[in-house]
Amino acid sequence: MRRKIPSNTSLMAFEAAARHGSFARAANELSLTEGAISRQIGRLETFLGVTLFERIGNRVRLLPNGARYATQIRELLDRLDRDSQYLTGQPSDGASLDIAVIPTFAMRWLIPRLSHFRQQYPNITVHLSERMEPFVLTGSGFDAAIHFEHPAWTGMRTYPLLDEVLVPVCHPDILTGSEGTSVLDNLPRLHRRQNPEAWQRYSQETGIPLTHPAMGARYDLHAMLIEAALAGLGVALVPRLYVDTELACGRLVAPWPEGKTIAKTFSLILPEPIGLSSEPIQAFAQWILDEAKKGTRVES
């Protein structure tokens, strides 16, 4: 069936005019005349049967339908531009993957291991993008996601990788020679903003008493918590898999027990089973599953 799609010229003219709120500025950006922009948008409105701009004298105002459409078109044009640039720089015998991933997991666990993947599959380029929340994977432009298990992934194929177990860590200098469990209550506690009850749960699970467990500085990302702990700002309750290297070399210490419950499970999310996926996705999926089985340490 033939697709009903407006011309690229009309869509680009409309997106620029919507973004600038001005036909004149859109014309300047696209090296066209203001009249050409107006004609292209008029053709688009006729094609859609919807008025996108309100014309008031020499001024224009984007209507609600136009604002929604502009957002959708901008995302599609951005993706088309990105994909075209990727393809332009792609070797003829190569392939590329676009993976959506939680940022701290990417920085602290995945990226340090990607050289191993490149050694095994030098012709597959892995592009990473940050995604904090679950999303609809099909049609998103991503080949896979690495995220927490979540009901939002219903209908997708979910492959568990690693469990998130929290452990308190700090710079060794702030312990002042004492490492008993009671010391934990006297040190500044650092919190992840999205998990404000983590310290209270940790106290209940381990039996270590904490006075006012919610007190302390808050950060958006575990990566920020780790950097704050490295800077000696306090004790951070973070997933052990993020700090294994720092613990091994002594930059951080963890003299207190781990939490007893699994906070979350990191998983590989695919739109279809591994066996039905393309060869590059199969290669990446099998590689990351094997890496997860090795544990948290990065092997040289």
Side-chain angles (χ1 to χ4, degrees), residues 75-95:
E75 291 175 353
L76 291 172
L77 290 175
D78 286 346
R79 188 192 308 168
L80 180 60
D81 178 61
R82 183 177 65 246
D83 291 347
S84 298
Q85 291 187 46
Y86 287 165
L87 191 58
T88 300
Q90 187 68 41
S92 59
D93 61 344

Side-chain angles (χ1 to χ4, degrees), residues 54-80:
E54 181 181 22
R55 280 78 166 173
I56 308 172
N58 292 328
R59 296 184 301 166
V60 295
R61 183 173 68 88
L62 191 63
L63 295 173
N65 281 336
R68 286 191 292 270
Y69 193 52
T71 299
Q72 296 166 344
I73 294 304
R74 188 170 302 118
E75 291 175 353
L76 291 172
L77 290 175
D78 286 346
R79 188 192 308 168
L80 180 60

Side-chain angles (χ1 to χ4, degrees), residues 219-242:
Y219 299 84
D220 278 345
L221 300 175
H222 278 131
M224 296 179 179
L225 281 175
I226 294 166
E227 290 302 318
L230 287 167
L233 297 180
V235 185
L237 191 59
V238 297
R240 176 176 283 276
L241 65 93
Y242 287 165

Side-chain angles (χ1 to χ4, degrees), residues 163-185:
D163 292 328
E164 183 185 75
V165 178
L166 302 181
V167 61
V169 298
C170 67
H171 194 281
D173 288 352
I174 73 171
L175 289 177
T176 63
S178 179
E179 300 181 5
T181 56
S182 61
V183 175
L184 185 58
D185 196 31

Side-chain angles (χ1 to χ4, degrees), residues 95-99 117 124-128 143 278 280-281 284:
S96 65
L97 296 175
D98 284 276
I99 310 294
F117 180 78
I124 301 177
T125 301
V126 178
H127 306 288
L128 300 181
D143 298 294
S278 67
I281 295 176
F284 180 81

Side-chain angles (χ1 to χ4, degrees), residues 21-266:
S22 164
F23 286 7
R25 288 196 289 272
N28 183 61
E29 177 183 312
L30 298 176
S31 299
L32 297 172
T33 65
E34 186 174 347
I37 293 292
S38 180
R39 286 192 295 275
Q40 289 296 335
I41 291 175
R43 290 169 185 163
L44 179 61
E45 290 176 323
T46 299
F47 180 88
L48 297 172
V50 174
T51 301
L52 303 172
F53 283 94
E54 181 181 22
R55 280 78 166 173
I56 308 172
N58 292 328
R59 296 184 301 166
V60 295
R61 183 173 68 88
L62 191 63
L63 295 173
N65 281 336
R68 286 191 292 270
Y69 193 52
T71 299
Q72 296 166 344
I73 294 304
R74 188 170 302 118
E75 291 175 353
L76 291 172
L77 290 175
D78 286 346
R79 188 192 308 168
L80 180 60
D81 178 61
R82 183 177 65 246
D83 291 347
S84 298
Q85 291 187 46
Y86 287 165
L87 191 58
T88 300
Q90 187 68 41
S92 59
D93 61 344
S96 65
L97 296 175
D98 284 276
I99 310 294
V101 60
I102 296 170
T104 305
F105 186 90
M107 291 183 285
R108 307 294 304 187
W109 194 89
L110 179 58
I111 290 175
R113 291 165 169 79
L114 276 181
S115 62
H116 301 166
F117 180 78
R118 187 172 60 184
Q119 289 167 8
Q120 295 180 46
Y121 303 98
N123 293 329
I124 301 177
T125 301
V126 178
H127 306 288
L128 300 181
S129 296
E130 170 190 329
R131 287 296 183 274
M132 291 291 291
E133 300 296 333
F135 59 95
V136 179
L137 184 56
T138 303
S140 67
F142 290 106
D143 298 294
I146 301 172
H147 215 283
F148 296 126
E149 288 186 344
H150 192 279
W153 302 118
T154 299
M156 301 291 100
R157 302 295 176 165
T158 302
Y159 299 89
L161 297 173
L162 295 160
D163 292 328
E164 183 185 75
V165 178
L166 302 181
V167 61
V169 298
C170 67
H171 194 281
D173 288 352
I174 73 171
L175 289 177
T176 63
S178 179
E179 300 181 5
T181 56
S182 61
V183 175
L184 185 58
D185 196 31
N186 298 321
L187 294 172
R189 284 184 289 278
L190 308 174
H191 303 261
R192 183 169 179 264
R193 196 181 304 276
Q194 292 87 340
N195 195 8
E197 298 179 355
W199 276 110
Q200 183 175 349
R201 284 200 303 272
Y202 176 80
S203 176
Q204 294 169 347
E205 290 179 2
T206 61
I208 299 175
L210 296 176
T211 306
H212 306 300
M215 290 182 63
R218 286 167 170 73
Y219 299 84
D220 278 345
L221 300 175
H222 278 131
M224 296 179 179
L225 281 175
I226 294 166
E227 290 302 318
L230 287 167
L233 297 180
V235 185
L237 191 59
V238 297
R240 176 176 283 276
L241 65 93
Y242 287 165
V243 292
D244 190 72
T245 299
E246 286 76 9
L247 292 173
C249 69
R251 295 182 66 205
L252 291 174
V253 293
W256 305 284
E258 294 180 348
K260 295 182 179 179
T261 60
I262 296 170
K264 294 177 180 177
T265 299
F266 293 99

